[in-house]
Amino acid sequence: MLHLQNYLNGQLVPPAAGRYLPNLEPATGEVFSYLPDSDAEDVARATAAAEAALPAWRRLPAEDRGRLLVRISELIERDLERLAQAESQDNGKPVSLARTVDIPRAASNFAFFGTAAQHFASETHFQEGVALNYTVRHPLGVVGCISPWNLPLYLFTWKIAPALAAGCTVVAKPSEITPYTAFLLSELCIEVGLPAGVLNIVHGTGPGAGQPIIEHPGIKGISFTGGTKTGEQIARTAAPMFKKLSLELGGKNPNIVFADCDLAETVRTSLRSSFANQGQICLCGSRIFIERSIYEQFKTDFLAGVADLTVADPQLETSRQGALVSEAHLQKVLCYIALAHAEGGTLLAGGQRVMLDGRCTNGYFLQPTVFEGLAPDCRVNREEIFGPVVTLTPFDTEEEVLTWANGTDYGLAATIWTRDLNRAHRVAHQLHSGIVWINTWLHRDLRTPFGGMKNSGVGREGGLEALRFFTEAQSITVKL
Ligand code: TXE
């Protein structure tokens, strides 16, 4: 059976202690490969390789670094089908989603940052007749990139590409739940001829391999995406070491539907923002607030759409809902469904585990689930479920819906549906969300700052924000 390897100092190598962990296919519940169960020794070797590679990599002109990144992007596009199949097998998501979203976006991450580094200019502040001040942005050094399981290659490359473009060298760890495409990426880096040690990929668990990355004194900055609890633990370890931190954490995003919206478009996109990737996207809008005058109409149309979301083997082109990522995660989501009943919610759709036939008999499938009648401040409406579960709530006034929308500890993303442009801007400005979409969802422009307020994180990724994160500003003043 396939044994994934770490990518250290330009080579594929087994973990130092020789231990491996089973890697399961969520659609079947069966082991399909093994991944290195790496530890502090592997992280020390990776960091040493990254430190040795740093001087030459940071000296390389941005164009030359960028050319290698663009070449990686081209190979991801060349291997799109293979990578999409791998992502679907490893994560449980429909292969059609991996083919149209995950893998193309991973390719564009490398293409974007490969060229962005050439457009990254530093500032000059001229004081007439007195002084010339200019800013130099030096690469931060060796950085750690740690990513989650929901959008495996997409989020992994979203961190690695800007770090490399900025002239940093990297020790990266993908989620132990979805390591496969990160391993395939290491093969592509070897094919491209990325210099040894510039990127090192260490596989393993959070405590085993992730924590040593946070603790290693040679690693100067950490870019992390994952659960809020893990983010807390990382901040606790890294803050006393004065490491630069970018934390992209959870969300509990409101989807606000005003009566003057384009209802057909709102329903179509709300189905995606509720259930894409089985609801396992930190940007999913799991709390849908609908203006009372169109509540019943929205509900009828939305539920009709939910009925069409075929839960099936993610390898099938007809599958609209694949498997949840693991048995443990499925059980967590089922607990929230039980809690929604206990908190007085009325089940409108779904609510049950799905047992499929054939090769998927033991897969982790769940019906897309919709509740109504829950108080806006109940636990189901405040805590991140991260699964295919949404709530519908009617509202009467703008003030009321803003209070509810802002009434959680999270502040990642929000969506507003209305044809009234003044209202759209007014509401957007009052939302405590790092990202607001008006009449759209998951629209992506890689130049915009990406990240959350409140417990959804610290710092911003994307565009020049990411290049600023991976560099350290130095101000130089020349007296005239
Ligand atoms: O994430 P973890 P989990 C949310 C979602 C989910 C919950 C927990 O609600 O149910 O988080 O998911 C690594 N030092 N999101 O447990 O553990 C880990 O190995 C260093 C939201 O799967 O945060 C993995 O690579 N690293 C989310 C990464 O952190 C550590 C996406 C994320 O895993 C570590 C995923 C440690 N001490 C889950 N402990 C989003 N915002 O997109 C773990 N890791």
Side-chain angles (χ1 to χ4, degrees):
M1 193 174 285
L2 175 65
H3 278 63
L4 310 184
Q5 304 294 330
N6 288 332
Y7 172 49
L8 295 194
N9 206 19
Q11 293 186 323
L12 296 175
V13 294
R19 287 191 313 268
Y20 287 83
L21 297 164
N23 185 26
L24 275 70
E25 177 173 358
T28 64
E30 276 161 30
V31 177
F32 77 99
S33 61
Y34 287 86
L35 69 139
D37 183 11
S38 307
D39 58 23
E41 175 57 28
D42 299 287
V43 170
R45 289 180 191 180
T47 310
E51 283 172 335
L54 183 64
W57 182 249
R58 63 185 291 167
R59 264 202 316 273
L60 210 60
E63 293 89 316
D64 294 354
R65 290 199 299 263
R67 205 168 289 129
L68 286 162
L69 301 188
V70 171
R71 185 78 190 111
I72 295 173
S73 160
E74 289 165 355
L75 295 194
I76 292 174
E77 281 174 352
R78 181 196 69 188
D79 290 355
L80 186 136
E81 188 55 31
R82 176 170 177 243
L83 289 163
Q85 295 286 347
E87 202 71 295
S88 169
Q89 181 177 28
D90 208 11
N91 170 277
K93 69 180 70 208
V95 68
S96 56
L97 185 71
R99 191 185 289 131
T100 51
V101 177
D102 293 74
I103 309 304
R105 287 185 172 200
S108 53
N109 287 340
F110 275 109
F112 177 84
F113 284 110
T115 49
Q118 296 177 45
H119 302 276
F120 186 42
S122 62
E123 310 87 58
T124 306
H125 303 282
F126 185 58
Q127 292 171 301
E128 190 72 46
V130 181
L132 168 68
N133 309 279
Y134 66 96
T135 308
V136 181
R137 293 191 180 272
H138 299 288
L140 200 51
V142 179
V143 295
C145 297
I146 298 182
S147 59
W149 46 258
N150 56 334
L151 304 165
L153 191 64
Y154 171 9
L155 292 179
F156 196 56
T157 55
W158 180 235
K159 300 179 177 305
I160 290 171
L164 295 177
C168 296
T169 55
V170 177
V171 177
K173 193 192 87 61
S175 169
E176 63 274 33
I177 301 172
T178 52
Y180 192 16
T181 47
F183 170 71
L184 297 176
L185 175 70
S186 45
E187 293 184 334
L188 298 183
C189 292
I190 292 171
E191 185 179 338
V192 159
L194 194 67
V198 162
L199 171 63
N200 304 275
I201 300 178
V202 181
H203 292 275
T205 64
Q211 189 68 21
I213 293 176
I214 313 298
E215 288 171 3
H216 199 296
I219 294 180
K220 304 300 178 196
I222 302 286
S223 175
F224 168 81
T225 300
T228 295
K229 281 263 162 306
T230 316
E232 256 177 63
Q233 156 75 13
I234 288 175
R236 207 174 296 124
T237 310
M241 300 172 82
F242 307 112
K243 293 191 181 196
K244 215 170 168 186
L245 276 182
S246 167
L247 304 174
E248 296 299 334
L249 310 173
K252 186 72 183 176
N253 309 307
N255 178 7
I256 304 171
V257 180
F258 287 98
D260 66 348
C261 69
D262 173 342
L263 188 62
E265 178 57 24
T266 304
V267 169
R268 200 167 30 246
T269 304
S270 295
L271 286 163
R272 278 180 52 232
S273 67
S274 300
F275 301 116
N277 207 39
Q278 295 73 247
Q280 301 166 129
I281 302 180
C282 51
L283 305 164
C284 277
S286 53
R287 297 182 292 147
I288 311 182
F289 298 109
I290 306 126
E291 198 165 358
R292 195 177 299 276
S293 60
I294 60 158
Y295 184 81
E296 289 304 324
Q297 187 61 54
F298 179 93
K299 183 166 102 178
T300 306
D301 297 357
F302 187 74
L303 291 176
V306 173
D308 285 341
L309 294 175
T310 318
V311 181
D313 184 342
Q315 283 188 354
L316 298 174
E317 297 301 329
T318 49
S319 174
R320 300 279 304 281
Q321 290 284 288
L324 269 64
V325 78
S326 66
E327 175 71 36
H329 190 60
L330 171 67
Q331 291 307 327
K332 174 188 153 180
V333 178
L334 284 169
C335 283
Y336 273 105
I337 291 174
L339 180 64
H341 285 294
E343 289 188 317
T346 304
L347 183 69
L348 299 176
Q352 301 287 327
R353 185 173 185 163
V354 180
M355 309 309 288
L356 295 175
D357 296 332
R359 75 173 205 110
C360 294
T361 320
N362 297 317
Y364 317 130
F365 296 89
L366 181 63
Q367 293 172 329
T369 298
V370 184
F371 279 95
E372 69 174 352
L374 282 156
D377 62 349
C378 72
R379 278 185 57 204
V380 168
N381 271 328
R382 280 187 292 113
E383 297 177 14
E384 185 181 44
I385 300 175
F386 218 63
V389 180
V390 297
T391 62
L392 307 186
T393 308
F395 70 88
D396 292 302
T397 65
E398 212 174 286
E399 294 67 40
E400 178 179 58
V401 78
L402 270 167
T403 307
W404 294 345
N406 289 332
T408 74
D409 293 335
Y410 294 106
L412 187 53
T415 308
I416 301 168
W417 295 95
T418 178
R419 285 192 173 100
D420 179 340
L421 204 54
N422 283 333
R423 172 163 52 203
H425 290 294
R426 187 171 64 236
V427 172
H429 293 187
Q430 294 177 81
L431 283 167
H432 304 160
S433 300
I435 300 158
V436 179
W437 282 296
I438 298 171
N439 298 330
T440 184
W441 178 73
L442 210 65
H443 185 92
R444 197 174 189 233
D445 179 332
L446 298 184
R447 297 167 299 180
T448 59
F450 177 92
M453 299 180 180
K454 302 196 279 186
N455 293 6
S456 289
V458 178
R460 293 292 180 273
E461 300 186 305
L464 301 183
E465 299 281 345
L467 294 176
R468 287 195 193 101
F469 175 76
F470 288 114
T471 52
E472 186 123 72
Q474 181 184 40
S475 173
I476 298 179
T477 299
V478 188
K479 187 168 181 297
L480 298 180

